[in-house]
Amino acid sequence: MNTLPRPRFQATPSLPLALPPKGTQSRRLNIGTVAINDDAMDDFNEALQEVAASAPSVHADQIASLARWLQTLPTDIAVATINQRMARVEQLRRLLHDQDWHVSPEFAERARVLLDYLNRFDDLIPDDMPLIGHLDDALLVELSWEAFAGEVQDFLDFCRFRNEQRPRGSAPERRAAWENECLAKANALLQRREIHARGYARTERLNRPFRVY
């Protein structure tokens, strides 16, 4: 029986959401007809610092400039730019609610601060504003994601392993089985690199001659 070739799926390209440089005069303080509230701006930065202490402080002028840039994009690209960041949040929610995955109290607290902000409706930008209502949410995710990315990547690989291998046992035993697979793959990769560097039949040159008696 002939089998059809499997289609090739291409990963969705990453869409940039870069924080604009701060204006020297900070002139832009409105998004359309909505003025950026100072208290709301302070709340945004407070949440950002709690989640990622090394993240830069954001100014109202930068938010306004970013909103205007987003509105210049084709609608589908602008929506996809926001949705890419919000999809990361859904991965984080899955991680926090998965009974097989446990995180440190510090990680859980950072995640709680992020999710609490995202769950607010009347935050820096009202969520019901067309196109840009979730821009502040997406920017908060973008600027703080480094604090979550490694854990989420590990979790997603664990989910892949759990779906494919269906390991038995308790939650710690299933996670230990995944960790053992990771170690085995890492060892195999190191072995392949070593073989590639020196070859199967290649031998190390002796440092000094020897005699056979």
Side-chain angles (χ1 to χ4, degrees), residues 61-199:
D61 177 73
Q62 294 172 293
I63 294 288
S65 297
L66 192 59
R68 295 185 184 189
W69 166 78
L70 193 70
Q71 290 172 321
T72 66
L73 299 177
T75 301
D76 58 335
I77 299 299
V79 171
T81 299
I82 300 299
N83 287 346
Q84 274 193 357
R85 278 74 194 175
M86 305 315 292
R88 298 176 186 174
V89 178
E90 292 310 309
Q91 295 171 349
L92 182 62
R93 292 185 198 273
R94 284 178 52 201
L95 179 155
L96 295 172
H97 290 92
D98 196 299
Q99 297 299 315
D100 283 352
W101 198 262
H102 300 282
V103 297
S104 68
E106 294 79 10
F107 183 94
E109 177 61 17
R110 289 196 301 269
R112 182 196 64 78
V113 172
L114 176 65
L115 295 177
D116 282 352
Y117 184 91
L118 300 184
N119 288 335
R120 294 167 55 182
F121 174 79
D122 189 15
D123 44 20
L124 183 60
I125 304 175
D127 290 348
D128 59 353
M129 283 192 69
L131 187 64
I132 60 174
H134 289 284
L135 174 59
D136 57 326
D137 301 327
L139 182 61
L140 182 60
V141 174
E142 178 72 13
L143 296 177
S144 66
W145 192 245
E146 186 176 349
F148 304 105
E151 190 80 27
V152 170
Q153 184 177 358
D154 285 348
F155 169 71
L156 294 177
D157 189 66
F158 169 75
C159 291
R160 186 269 319 158
F161 169 79
R162 185 173 55 185
N163 291 336
E164 293 178 356
Q165 304 299 328
R166 300 190 180 278
R168 297 182 179 181
S170 63
E173 289 171 337
R174 288 191 288 272
R175 181 156 175 170
W178 166 73
E179 290 173 349
N180 289 336
E181 182 194 69
C182 292
L183 289 174
K185 287 184 176 180
N187 288 333
L189 178 61
L190 289 174
Q191 185 179 18
R192 286 198 298 271
R193 287 180 177 176
E194 183 178 354
I195 290 171
H196 177 74
R198 61 183 177 83

Side-chain angles (χ1 to χ4, degrees), residues 9-49:
F9 297 99
Q10 294 183 349
T12 303
S14 179
L15 300 172
L17 187 62
L19 187 66
K22 180 186 175 184
T24 55
Q25 298 179 350
S26 298
R27 297 177 292 104
R28 298 174 179 175
L29 303 179
N30 295 328
I31 299 177
T33 60
V34 176
I36 299 178
N37 182 277
D38 289 340
D39 291 338
M41 194 75 249
D42 290 340
D43 288 344
F44 177 91
N45 280 308
E46 182 179 348
L48 178 58
Q49 292 302 309

